[in-house]
Amino acid sequence: MISLTDTQRIGVGLMGFGVFFLLFGILLYFDRVLLGFGNILFISGLPFMTGLQNTFRFFYQRQKLKGSSFFLAGILLVLLRWPGVGMLCESYGLYLLFKSTLPLVSEFIASIPVLGIIFTLPGLSTGHPGTDVSLEEEQAVGLSGTLNGPLPGPVNGHQGQAQVQTNEEVP
């Protein structure tokens, strides 16, 4: 069982209610009051859950600055009574923030028995875990099998030799 501090429990509660109000606001045709309240609860729960310094460090990394700005601009647009455009900005910002973890999530979902069948369909196949290159692209480019011969290292108790071709002649 995961042990949480009291501060983290408050953060989980705030984030949980935030997600509930966000989903309920979307269900009620983008009700701006529920969406704004959900955004405020969710954003206020993050520092309680992960700590204030870790939250700022996550949102203000150089490579995630574009996603953070879209996400925070979306929250601002929802609060300024533009819920549809704001939710689109938030969604795009969340995609930019978490796109590096999407291959890991898709591999996890593919390992679930019922959902794994859906992810084996041609348009949803994920390729190799953690990479953006599919097996077909890898074979077309010739990335598989870069060594000519056995792999270096002990194989069955013997040291294998890698045969690497060079253009230099040995005297």
Side-chain angles (χ1 to χ4, degrees):
M1 183 168 174
I2 299 173
S3 62
L4 298 174
T5 64
D6 290 338
T7 308
Q8 288 176 333
R9 288 182 187 153
I10 292 170
V12 168
L14 288 172
M15 289 175 66
F17 279 118
V19 168
F20 170 75
F21 281 112
L22 282 171
L23 292 176
F24 200 56
I26 291 171
L27 185 67
L28 292 176
Y29 302 110
F30 293 99
D31 183 44
R32 63 179 179 257
V33 174
L34 290 174
L35 290 175
F37 194 59
N39 281 329
I40 291 170
L41 286 174
F42 186 80
I43 292 297
S44 65
L46 276 176
F48 281 103
M49 186 68 189
T50 61
L52 191 61
Q53 186 177 10
N54 290 336
T55 302
F56 279 116
R57 191 179 307 146
F58 175 76
F59 278 108
Y60 294 113
Q61 292 177 6
R62 186 171 178 86
Q63 66 269 19
K64 294 185 179 184
L65 204 55
K66 184 178 178 183
S68 299
S69 60
F70 268 99
F71 181 70
L72 295 175
I75 291 174
L76 185 67
L77 284 171
V78 167
L79 293 176
L80 292 175
R81 299 182 181 199
W82 287 75
V85 177
M87 288 304 291
L88 284 175
C89 282
E90 279 185 54
S91 300
Y92 183 63
L94 285 175
Y95 169 73
L96 291 177
L97 284 171
F98 295 107
K99 73 178 179 182
S100 63
T101 61
L102 289 178
L104 180 67
V105 171
S106 67
E107 286 296 321
F108 173 72
I109 292 174
S111 69
I112 298 173
V114 175
L115 295 176
I117 296 170
I118 296 171
F119 272 80
T120 58
L121 296 174
L124 297 175
S125 64
T126 58
H128 293 305
T131 64
D132 293 333
V133 179
S134 67
L135 183 61
E136 294 83 18
E137 292 171 343
E138 183 178 297
Q139 289 173 349
V141 174
L143 295 175
S144 58
T146 57
L147 294 174
N148 296 328
L151 293 174
V155 179
N156 295 334
H158 301 289
Q159 183 71 24
Q161 291 290 332
Q163 300 172 359
V164 180
Q165 295 177 350
T166 62
N167 293 338
E168 300 177 12
E169 291 184 21
V170 178

